[in-house]
Amino acid sequence: MANETAKPNVLIPLSKGQKNAVTIGSICLMLSITMFGVGFFVIQGPILAEMNASGYYSLLTIFASLGLAIMTPIGGKLGDLFGRKNIIVISGLICAVCGIGMGIVRSVILFILLRLVLGAAQGAFTAAPYILMREINEPKDVPRSMGYLASAIAVGSFGGSILLGALADAGLLGIAIMVPAIPLLLGVFLIAANVPNKKKEGSVVIDIPGIVCLAVLLSAFCLSMNYGPIIGWTSLKIILGLALTVAALFLFVKVENKASEPIVPMYLFKNRYYTTLLIVGFICYFYQTAMNAYAPLAVQQIMGASAAVSGSLQLPRTILTMILPTIVGVWIGKKKQNLWLAMALATGLVAVAYVPLCFTSPSMTIFVYIAAFSLTGIAESFRSVSVTPAAQATLPQKDLGVGTSLVTFVNSLAGLFAAAIYGVIYGMSPDSIQAGINHINMFTVGISVVGLLVVLLVVRKSMSQEA
């Protein structure tokens, strides 16, 4: 039975037991999403090698991200129309079937197709845990719940990578592929058993033209951004891809403005505060490409450390992101004004962390990088419990699903933009790895400072006016 004494600002009132079950279910979904993502990359190479298809590595990576990118904004809207529970159950089961199928098939074509469908199904419910945390909790409790999800991501990333890698090393590659389906199925069951299916009343109109335009737009954009640094930005294919991206964007905006149930309501962008929070979230994610892709290169090629040492750079950061988000979430819940302060720390600490990295040299000790990334772990803990709850607070209930999905989607786009921009910066110093790395780190400081200024000059002012 739903909790009849629940306060009216809880969108889906549940009993304490039901709310705990849904929270655990959401944590399980985040574990699965991360294990199918970060953890899966640990075993992707051995999987393709077993099928004598190592040449398909980049294509498989792009297909995985493409399905996810296309369906993330669409999934939020479908949840608003057909009910969050229905979308989680249907897309979750499809994702699980694909994961299990990938552990069985040994045809590279079937494997890649299953990976594409898995990514698309995953995208349909990627934002659902964040939406549910707002729907089943009072606003003051949302940051703490977001902390649970952030900790689950850290555990899934670190622990999942170790577990899947160990299974693969033990010769249990098929089982390793299927493991992420276990928390997924548990999460689907817990949510299906405890969440009522709230859907739009009356007839439902699906924005098919909008979905088609969005698919073309994101496909052209993702493929161009992925292949641009590889084959060159002046390649005719890349130029045509970017031209198609621009054309599809204009057409998508036109279609969405006329749709009765748009996949992405354009009026959301008229909300200056919401749009500002999208920018802050984008900037908060931007540095991670420098950390994941270029830091290991710097440590190995400039400082002369081993691959094993470079692989340990993020260990303290990971531990921090397992523990801190929930603690920070409780702190934010005590006072609304703590939201902007958390975002200021999320951007400012990254800028501070990257300042010493701008002077990377052969004489620099590895501990400078470890300390810097530990500081970004603190920044990530503040980001994970502040940006999304703040954005959700600006949305009417009818747009909660698509608005939250859009936040998640924009955050993911940061990685694509960062990869392209960092690639150009690195390529400007072809004769010096050290100069290329230092220029990347300088740019990271600069964009993080921009994020801090946006928080101080716009976000803080908006929150002060609401208080």
Side-chain angles (χ1 to χ4, degrees), residues 287 347 350-358 422 439-451:
Y287 79 93
T347 50
V350 172
V352 171
Y354 267 81
V355 167
L357 304 189
C358 296
Y422 284 143
H439 290 156
I440 283 173
N441 292 336
M442 290 176 190
F443 185 85
T444 303
V445 172
I447 195 170
S448 299
V449 169
V450 170

Side-chain angles (χ1 to χ4, degrees), residues 270-291:
K270 295 179 181 179
N271 182 335
R272 182 168 174 254
Y273 183 28
Y274 174 79
T275 304
T276 300
L277 291 171
L278 291 181
I279 294 171
V280 172
F282 180 92
I283 291 175
C284 284
Y285 265 88
F286 200 91
Y287 79 93
Q288 294 190 19
T289 299
M291 178 178 66

Side-chain angles (χ1 to χ4, degrees), residues 177-193:
I177 299 170
M178 299 181 194
V179 161
I182 297 173
L184 174 58
L185 290 172
L186 177 58
V188 168
F189 171 76
L190 288 173
I191 290 171

Side-chain angles (χ1 to χ4, degrees), residues 38-126:
V38 178
F40 194 83
F41 281 120
V42 174
I43 60 173
Q44 183 167 295
I47 293 168
L48 292 175
E50 187 180 84
M51 293 187 283
N52 296 315
S54 296
Y56 288 92
Y57 189 95
S58 61
L59 181 64
L60 181 62
T61 301
I62 291 170
F63 268 36
S65 61
L66 189 58
L68 190 66
I70 291 171
M71 283 305 299
T72 295
I74 294 173
K77 184 63 179 181
L78 294 180
D80 290 339
L81 295 176
F82 297 102
R84 202 84 52 219
K85 181 168 81 170
N86 281 346
I87 296 302
I88 291 172
V89 171
I90 294 171
S91 61
L93 291 177
I94 291 173
C95 186
V97 168
C98 289
I100 294 170
M102 288 166 61
I104 299 172
V105 303
R106 284 300 175 265
S107 163
V108 66
I109 301 301
L110 280 177
F111 189 88
I112 290 175
L113 288 175
L114 287 172
R115 188 70 179 103
L116 175 64
V117 176
L118 185 149
Q122 202 174 36
F125 67 83
T126 291

Side-chain angles (χ1 to χ4, degrees), residues 114-191:
L114 287 172
R115 188 70 179 103
L116 175 64
V117 176
L118 185 149
Q122 202 174 36
F125 67 83
T126 291
Y130 299 103
I131 301 168
L132 284 173
M133 291 305 96
R134 171 61 189 94
E135 290 182 325
I136 68 172
N137 289 290
E138 294 180 54
K140 68 180 181 65
D141 295 326
V142 173
R144 178 179 60 187
S145 299
M146 294 292 183
Y148 297 148
L149 301 185
S151 296
I153 291 173
V155 172
S157 176
F158 183 64
S161 298
I162 293 175
L163 176 59
L164 268 59
L167 288 171
D169 290 342
L172 303 172
L173 196 54
I175 294 176
I177 299 170
M178 299 181 194
V179 161
I182 297 173
L184 174 58
L185 290 172
L186 177 58
V188 168
F189 171 76
L190 288 173
I191 290 171

Side-chain angles (χ1 to χ4, degrees), residues 13 21 28 103 162 171 199 248 319-320 412 416 427 454:
C28 287
I162 293 175
K199 59 182 179 179
I319 294 172
L320 286 169
S412 67
L416 286 173
V454 170

